[in-house]
Amino acid sequence: MTDYTVGQQLWQMAQMAAVGWVMLLTAHEEQSLALCGRWRYGKKTVIDFLFCLLWGVLLWLVLLRVSGGLLRNYIVFGLLSGAIAYHLACRRWLNRPCLLLARGILFAWHWFCRFVMLPWHLLNRWCWQPCRKMIQNFFVARQETDAEEENITEKNENNFSS
């Protein structure tokens, strides 16, 4: 087991304070996205779960990297102090920028989805819809001719039986 100097401990504590600050900033941004997106409750729950899962994995990797696999009190204190510093000092100041960033993300996502879906829409409009209409017309015409043949057969049977 290696002994860390005070400078290394302070550096690790500062790193974890930055991680705590960034963690609450991303949580605030995720809340802003949910607010701007006007998502249903189920969608918000899934996004919250994925957000917590992602941050749990990232936090675990950061803890392994910073502390060398051992969880120390000063590292936890650094994480909590960064989170508290964000919540007390920066949450109100960054509320409007988080909302603007959320609107920008949603706007960019909307246009990205439109761009990605463009080939499908063009294929649907110029290929599938005309083919489907042609097949429907074929089946309608076939049903009409079958009905006419059935009428002719029925008339012939009526003529022969009388």
Side-chain angles (χ1 to χ4, degrees):
M1 188 143 107
T2 61
D3 290 324
Y4 290 106
T5 64
V6 174
Q8 287 175 327
Q9 291 175 352
L10 287 175
W11 175 244
Q12 288 175 345
M13 196 164 108
Q15 286 175 325
M16 289 312 294
V19 167
W21 192 88
V22 169
M23 184 171 62
L24 253 62
L25 175 67
T26 56
H28 189 190
E29 182 60 34
E30 188 261 339
Q31 288 174 349
S32 298
L33 277 170
L35 180 69
C36 290
R38 295 180 183 92
W39 295 323
R40 296 184 323 265
Y41 177 75
K43 195 171 185 181
K44 284 182 186 178
T45 306
V46 169
I47 290 172
D48 288 341
F49 173 75
L50 292 175
F51 175 79
C52 291
L53 184 68
L54 176 69
W55 256 112
V57 169
L58 287 175
L59 186 60
W60 180 255
L61 291 173
V62 167
L63 283 173
L64 286 176
R65 174 69 177 110
V66 168
S67 67
L70 299 173
L71 189 60
R72 297 180 176 84
N73 290 337
Y74 63 90
I75 291 175
V76 174
F77 176 71
L79 180 69
L80 291 176
S81 65
I84 290 169
Y86 177 82
H87 187 69
L88 294 178
C90 301
R91 186 167 179 86
R92 279 189 225 120
W93 295 343
L94 294 175
N95 193 26
R96 187 163 175 91
C98 280
L99 285 173
L100 292 174
L101 181 63
R103 288 183 185 138
I105 289 171
L106 290 172
F107 179 78
W109 180 253
H110 172 74
W111 283 101
F112 174 75
C113 287
R114 277 190 154 192
F115 178 73
V116 168
M117 292 301 290
L118 181 65
W120 170 254
H121 289 299
L122 292 175
L123 184 69
N124 186 33
R125 180 178 210 120
W126 299 107
C127 187
W128 298 124
Q129 284 180 354
C131 290
R132 186 175 11 177
K133 189 68 173 171
M134 189 173 60
I135 291 170
Q136 285 175 351
N137 290 341
F138 172 74
F139 282 120
V140 166
R142 185 171 178 183
Q143 286 175 352
E144 289 174 356
T145 56
D146 287 346
E148 287 175 8
E149 287 176 6
E150 193 172 298
N151 287 338
I152 291 172
T153 307
E154 193 174 295
K155 285 181 184 178
N156 287 341
E157 289 175 359
N158 288 340
N159 289 336
F160 287 126
S161 63
S162 2

